[in-house]
Amino acid sequence: MVRVRFAPSPTGQLHIGGARTALFNYLFAKKHNGKFILRIEDTDLERSREEWAEGIMRSLRWLGIEWDEGPDVGGEFGPYFQSQRKEIYLEYIQKLLVEGKAYYCFCTQEEIEREREMARQQKIPYKYSKKCRNISLEEAKKRIKNGEKAVVRIKAPVEGTTVVHDIIRGDVEFSNDQLDDFIILKSDGNPTYNFVCVIDDYLMKISHVIRAEEHLSNTPKQLIIYEALNIQPPQFAHVPMILAPDRSKLSKRHGATSVEEFFENGYLKEAIVNYLLLLGWSPGEDRTIISLDEAIQKFELEKVSKNAAIYDINKLTWINGYYLKEIDLDDLYERMKYFYSKNGIDISSFDKEYVKSVLKLVREKVKTLVEVVSASIYFFDSNYEYEQKGVEKYFTPDNLNNLQLLLDDLKNIQPFSAEEIEKLVRRKAEELNTKAANIIHTIRMCISGRTVTPGLFEMMEVLGKDEVINRIEKTLKMFS
């Protein structure tokens, strides 16, 4: 049975690289009717925080990536926090010590640093000298009993090669003479990442490890642990890195990089998931838009690219604009409550159909939910400021006088629809021997304070006759 896992460290927010890894694992599990497991790798006790773990889970759930087993849903292979599994790891370390496949190392930090310095002087990569490799377990236990500090190192092979069979990259060979007797238990009694990762993947019956390319260098070390424990490793697939447009490492200077930031910036989860799918994988047929359900049917690890994926915020924003236009208005209404509230507007205090009419009107020209608020705030608050360039250009005596002459006709128009309003304005412009654009821009400024809005006549219909008349009269009083 396919069993995959996403195993983030709770040392910060969920980065888009992590979200992409989680998504690929989720797709693979769903495609093969398998299980998707969430495991929190919080062995870095100094940097790990419970609130970060909660934030990661919140972000995954917001994206629609649900797990079958994990910290809050349980499962038969828990606990799913590594910090709660220490006794399990120590049992396996003891087994390796007893079998002579690992050993206690008493070298101090000063001794290790001297070895490093010698390697630097000789201009060769540093490898531990293995000076403690042949200390017997009995002797080591006596020294520990006498108060000496020690780490535990694994006995790595010194000849031959370790081959990683990677679903995406093919076979990747590592020469064993480049590998170290690496530490599997630190002197503070805490096991290291590579060791706990192996034990957890084994005990949780993980069939495929799908993770970022940066972990490829850890894989030969993990295979050595699998070999020492005489257990079958899972299949590996290392997905490509996500680089910035200039092919440098993606960082804060390139804009939002965490899922929570994208949420706060008004991106839709459907757009983010769609975009993440395109970072290293393609649905084919040169397509850009693909739903999560369709991706589950089409996804294949073998078709994931070996090459780095390039992060393109403009492409994500374009995709977001597409989904913004397509989303059901009732759904959009619910999502917008948070963003309007951040600007002091409670849209639930307005008629819902009015709000939906506003959203339908403004979403055609914007790309994010934050932009929706910015483009529509005057529909909910008539205490707006007037753009100075618009005041100077359109609030001329002639334009304001013509608008005054139009007012009575506006008050009497039936029905107050975009079509009828447009007919009236164009007819009145002819009567007054002026360009219709002069009246249109002046009304726009009066009822919004802006020079750029959605279509004026549609906007007037949504605002309604009473509100439009009130805003025009208020403006004429201020500027006449």
Side-chain angles (χ1 to χ4, degrees), residues 417-437:
S417 65
E419 184 180 355
E420 291 302 318
I421 298 167
E422 182 173 6
K423 286 179 186 175
L424 170 63
V425 168
R426 297 195 183 282
R427 188 171 67 245
K428 198 69 177 177
E430 283 187 21
E431 286 178 20
L432 297 170
N433 197 27
T434 186
K435 292 179 180 176

Side-chain angles (χ1 to χ4, degrees), residues 46 48 59 61 66 84 144 175 208 283 328 363 384 432:
E46 286 186 11
S48 295
S59 291
R61 281 218 165 94
E66 298 280 349
Q84 298 169 11
I144 290 169
S175 177
H208 296 75
D328 177 78
R363 70 175 176 176
Y384 41 80
L432 297 170

Side-chain angles (χ1 to χ4, degrees), residues 128-145:
Y128 172 61
S129 64
K130 300 182 174 68
K131 67 197 299 186
C132 294
R133 202 178 212 220
N134 295 317
I135 296 173
S136 70
L137 185 56
E138 291 72 26
E139 183 187 343
K141 284 183 175 178
K142 286 178 186 174
R143 292 175 67 170
I144 290 169
K145 196 174 182 181

Side-chain angles (χ1 to χ4, degrees), residues 217-402:
S217 60
N218 287 319
T219 310
K221 296 178 181 179
Q222 292 172 12
L223 287 172
I224 288 168
I225 297 169
Y226 279 109
E227 179 72 23
L229 291 168
N230 196 29
I231 54 180
Q232 182 70 29
Q235 294 186 62
F236 292 95
H238 291 89
V239 299
M241 292 179 68
I242 300 174
L243 299 178
D246 61 1
R247 304 193 75 82
S248 64
K249 187 177 179 182
L250 194 59
S251 66
K252 289 282 187 186
R253 68 188 174 90
H254 300 109
T257 56
S258 77
V259 172
E260 288 202 12
E261 284 178 295
F262 282 117
F263 168 77
E264 290 292 339
N265 289 345
Y267 286 83
L268 298 166
K269 60 185 179 181
E270 294 87 350
I272 296 173
V273 166
N274 191 144
Y275 181 64
L276 291 176
L277 286 169
L278 304 176
L279 291 176
W281 178 77
S282 169
E285 303 167 0
D286 201 27
R287 290 176 58 193
T288 300
I289 302 300
I290 181 168
S291 69
L292 185 57
D293 288 340
E294 190 181 356
I296 289 170
Q297 302 305 316
K298 288 180 172 286
F299 186 76
E300 293 178 32
L301 279 174
E302 291 81 359
K303 291 187 177 177
V304 173
S305 173
K306 299 181 183 69
N307 302 320
I310 304 301
Y311 172 78
D312 184 350
I313 189 66
N314 294 323
K315 187 171 185 178
L316 169 59
T317 304
W318 180 87
I319 292 172
N320 203 69
Y322 170 85
Y323 279 100
L324 182 52
K325 292 178 184 66
E326 296 295 314
I327 190 172
D328 177 78
L329 281 171
D330 284 301
D331 190 357
L332 181 58
Y333 172 85
E334 293 301 323
R335 299 192 200 197
M336 287 306 306
K337 285 179 179 177
Y338 171 76
F339 293 94
Y340 279 117
S341 69
K342 285 177 69 176
N343 287 269
I345 296 168
D346 176 13
I347 58 171
S348 60
S349 66
F350 292 83
D351 177 72
K352 185 176 181 180
E353 291 306 312
Y354 170 72
V355 178
K356 285 166 60 178
S357 296
V358 172
L359 297 177
K360 184 179 181 181
L361 190 61
V362 301
R363 70 175 176 176
E364 294 299 319
K365 299 287 186 182
V366 296
K367 297 290 194 292
T368 70
L369 303 187
V370 170
E371 289 179 3
V372 169
V373 177
S374 176
S376 64
I377 202 159
Y378 55 86
F379 280 96
F380 306 102
D381 182 2
S382 59
N383 293 317
Y384 41 80
E385 293 185 1
Y386 299 85
E387 290 180 10
Q388 190 56 38
K389 64 178 182 179
V391 170
E392 293 169 1
K393 188 170 183 179
Y394 301 118
F395 284 180
T396 63
D398 283 348
N399 283 349
L400 293 175
N401 186 55
N402 287 338

